[in-house]
Amino acid sequence: MQTPGAGVPTLITIPLSHYCEKARWGLDHAQISYREQAHAPGFHALTVRRAGGQRSVPILLTGEGVIGDSTDILLWANEHAAKGRALYPDNAAARREVLALEERFDEHFGPHLRRTIYFHLLPLPALCMPMWTQGVPRHERLLTPLLYRPLRALMRSSMRIDAAGAKRSFDQAMRVVDEVNALLADGRKYLAGDRFSAADISFAALAAIAAGPPEYPVPLPGPEKLPAEAAALIRKFRDTPAAEFCLRLYREERGRSGPGSGNRPA
């Protein structure tokens, strides 16, 4: 495992994580070379702690230290971005607008959509395990099926996943979707200003686990593979301008910057 200061930065991820995808996309857009070190849920914790992080991913190991938050990773990427590949505007007021949107999505959208999706996916190990183990070390891929039940219990406990919580979280996620719909109603191409920014990456990456863009690094199940209740929620989410915005950004912007640009799991 790379340590801080040892060459190319290393991004430690869980393959399915939409926050990891946010960090991945930000680095790719900024055209920063990095290695991705993917781990299955649960297995990631020891690696993160050994690297100097807390418990969650993504974390980025750089020559300047350990960066342990997706927004901080994008801010770091912005400082090291190739010419014309900045993630945040130089203008102070425009930068504040992008950061405010990013925080809104990080705090009030991403966790709620994740809770809703996992409530419906966790009872389905045949769907979860391929998404959890894409690109992870061989021993993790072999052990994940054996440890699935305790991992599922741990995730339900740590993320407070239950039926009532999933319902509240879906309602909260849709309130943010309504806010994005309102922003898009004036025909704008991007959420803040006239150029692609961290605000767009944040919403699109966090929305992707429900919107299902084919460009997402981990193949996501469509409604046809889900139970009826979950399929109905996914279809409701996808039938919005915000979901169409997410899909367009993946088509038009993600292809330009990756995914991965050769930086797939080592």
Side-chain angles (χ1 to χ4, degrees):
M1 180 176 65
Q2 178 181 342
T3 55
V8 175
T10 296
L11 182 68
I12 299 176
T13 67
I14 290 173
L16 177 59
S17 165
H18 53 351
Y19 284 99
C20 292
E21 166 64 356
K22 173 188 166 183
R24 191 188 291 120
W25 192 347
L27 292 166
D28 290 339
H29 178 79
Q31 297 183 346
I32 293 171
S33 295
Y34 64 96
R35 292 174 61 250
E36 181 176 349
Q37 187 180 114
H39 293 279
F43 293 94
H44 73 285
L46 178 60
T47 301
V48 168
R49 286 173 179 160
R50 286 175 57 195
Q54 297 299 315
R55 183 174 177 274
S56 62
V57 288
I59 68 167
L60 184 69
L61 312 185
T62 78
E64 300 157 42
V66 178
I67 305 171
D69 175 83
S70 63
T71 294
D72 290 340
I73 290 171
L74 264 60
L75 288 166
W76 181 89
N78 187 68
E79 294 301 313
H80 297 80
K83 185 176 180 180
R85 308 297 292 182
L87 296 161
Y88 299 89
D90 292 330
N91 177 271
R95 186 183 180 96
R96 285 195 297 272
E97 181 184 8
V98 169
L99 285 166
L101 284 169
E102 185 174 13
E103 182 178 14
R104 177 68 172 158
F105 302 145
D106 280 354
E107 299 297 326
H108 301 283
F109 179 64
H112 293 284
L113 195 58
R114 178 178 59 197
R115 182 179 292 123
T116 302
I117 295 296
Y118 265 132
F119 173 74
H120 294 285
L121 282 183
L122 285 176
L124 305 169
L127 287 183
C128 281
M129 283 189 289
M131 295 188 287
W132 285 1
T133 59
Q134 179 170 297
V136 307
R138 182 172 181 271
H139 73 277
E140 295 183 14
R141 191 165 60 252
L142 294 175
L143 288 172
T144 295
L146 303 177
L147 297 174
Y148 188 82
R149 291 174 67 89
L151 283 171
R152 179 172 63 186
L154 177 63
M155 293 174 71
R156 283 173 170 162
S157 173
S158 63
M159 289 190 269
R160 301 191 298 277
I161 298 171
D162 56 32
K167 172 65 167 61
R168 289 193 301 270
S169 280
F170 184 73
D171 291 344
Q172 170 58 38
M174 291 303 292
R175 282 193 285 272
V176 175
V177 166
D178 288 341
E179 294 170 11
V180 173
N181 292 340
L183 287 174
L184 298 171
D186 62 7
R188 67 183 66 193
K189 186 174 183 180
Y190 301 117
L191 292 178
D194 58 0
R195 60 182 296 273
F196 183 70
S197 74
D200 303 299
I201 289 177
S202 298
F203 179 76
L206 298 181
I209 55 171
E215 298 85 357
Y216 199 77
V218 175
L220 299 167
E224 69 282 356
K225 294 185 178 180
L226 299 173
E229 182 182 359
L233 294 179
I234 292 295
R235 290 190 177 101
K236 180 177 180 180
F237 181 90
R238 292 186 180 183
D239 190 25
T240 65
E244 287 297 320
F245 175 72
C246 168
L247 296 176
R248 178 177 65 79
L249 289 183
Y250 265 88
R251 286 193 308 270
E252 297 180 0
E253 301 290 345
R254 193 66 175 112
R256 296 179 186 175
S257 57
S261 302
N263 305 311
R264 303 315 304 147

